[in-house]
């Protein structure tokens, strides 16, 4: 979420020149869950994801293309209390009608929602999974509506639910088998201990642009002029540390750079900043100043 009143945005918030490649996007999010069977069933029936693979204590889910979510079971893992980690991951559906179809499904099947909002740049619906992991399902308004004006226009207003459901001929009978094909990981919003430290890491070290900032409370960062690929707030985590080992928490988020030299250029900046990056399956792992695990990966050629 973002500030309710656009005038609350820090006047110094502006889109900095982003050193990271413009085609950078978000990739799969990894989560620890307490009961894999329970989580898979919820993600299939409530959220509308499909299981791509399931092996032992791990399952990968998405909408038929790239994995969007990877769940790792730690039996009985407790929910996270006051700690850094995931605020929410955000699934971007291709069109407003897709969001309406999902909302109609959620209403018919009584999926518990945590909130709904119009952010001007997007319309969003919020909920949590059985382990308390935050989730956003959203669609973007056309880029020409907000591009170059994210800091002044991104806000939080009441969602026009009737207008959204008006995309459907009959919301009560709208078919819904799964989230729309083409759904992607639009952004990841993190709980951090200190917002200025997070901004320094994601802007100066990784090279994202700062799109909007609410003082020391929250910041929104992106590549290529997007409204945000990464959010960071300290609303419930100021001065906190990571969740205890074995908790149902964020295992990793993935930043996918375009194929070619972009990944190495980013790793060179990381090395110059003295931030250790460890080679792992699928990319290079490093931690932000709050201990949130970030994997830098390259898109397939």
């Amino acid at each position: 979420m973002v500030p309710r009143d656009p005038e609350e945005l820090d006047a110094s918030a502006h889109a900095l020149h982003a050193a990271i490649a413009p085609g950078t996007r978000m990739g799969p999010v990894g989560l620890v869950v307490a009961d894999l069977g329970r989580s898979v069933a919820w993600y299939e029936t409530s959220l509308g994801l499909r299981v791509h693979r399931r092996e032992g204590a791990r399952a990968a889910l998405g909408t038929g293309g790239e994995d969007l979510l990877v769940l790792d079971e730690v039996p009985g893992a407790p929910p996270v209390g006051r700690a850094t980690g995931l605020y929410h991951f955000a699934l971007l559906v291709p069109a407003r009608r897709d969001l309406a179809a999902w909302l109609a499904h959620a209403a018919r099947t009584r999926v518990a929602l945590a909130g709904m909002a119009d952010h001007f740049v997007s319309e969003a619906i919020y909920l949590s999974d059985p382990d308390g992991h935050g989730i956003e399902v959203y669609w973007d308004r056309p880029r020409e509506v907000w591009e170059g004006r994210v800091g002044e226009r991104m806000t939080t207003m009441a969602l026009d639910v009737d207008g959204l459901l008006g995309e459907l001929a009959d919301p009560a009978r709208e078919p819904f088998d799964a989230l729309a094909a083409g759904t992607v990981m639009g952004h990841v919003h993190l709980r951090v201990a200190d917002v200025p430290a997070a901004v320094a890491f994601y802007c100066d070290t990784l090279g994202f642009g700062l799109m909007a900032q609410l003082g020391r409370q929250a910041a929104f960062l992106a590549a290529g002029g997007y409204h945000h690929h990464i959010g960071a707030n300290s609303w419930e985590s100021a001065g906190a540390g990571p969740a205890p080992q074995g908790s149902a928490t964020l295992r990793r988020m993935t930043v996918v750079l375009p194929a070619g030299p972009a990944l190495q250029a980013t790793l060179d900046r990381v090395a110059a900043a003295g931030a250790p990056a460890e080679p792992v399956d699928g990319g290079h792992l490093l931690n932000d100043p709050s201990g949130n695990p970030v994997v830098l990966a390259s898109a397939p050629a």
Side-chain angles (χ1 to χ4, degrees), residues 178-212:
L179 275 178
T183 296
V184 299
M185 187 64 66
H187 63 267
V188 177
H189 195 146
L190 300 168
R191 300 175 191 264
V192 300
D194 181 76
V195 168
V199 168
F201 173 80
Y202 287 103
C203 289
D204 300 340
T205 300
L206 296 190
F208 284 93
L210 178 63
M211 308 308 293

Side-chain angles (χ1 to χ4, degrees), residues 9-20 148-152 154 195-233:
L9 286 168
D10 190 320
S12 66
H14 59 286
L16 300 175
H17 173 71
I20 203 164
R149 298 185 294 161
V150 174
E152 64 179 283
M154 190 164 67
V195 168
V199 168
F201 173 80
Y202 287 103
C203 289
D204 300 340
T205 300
L206 296 190
F208 284 93
L210 178 63
M211 308 308 293
Q213 185 169 354
L214 176 61
R216 300 182 66 91
Q217 297 182 46
F220 303 88
L221 311 107
Y226 190 53
H227 53 73
H228 68 297
H229 288 107
I230 296 172
N233 78 68

Side-chain angles (χ1 to χ4, degrees), residues 121-160:
V121 300
S122 62
E123 291 181 310
I125 302 168
Y126 298 91
L127 66 163
S128 296
D129 78 358
D131 291 282
H133 297 302
I135 303 165
E136 175 182 344
V137 183
Y138 76 112
W139 83 287
D140 278 336
R141 285 200 168 89
R143 192 159 177 144
E144 59 266 23
V145 171
W146 48 261
E147 188 166 27
R149 298 185 294 161
V150 174
E152 64 179 283
R153 302 307 301 269
M154 190 164 67
T155 186
T156 297
M157 304 176 291
L159 180 67
D160 179 4

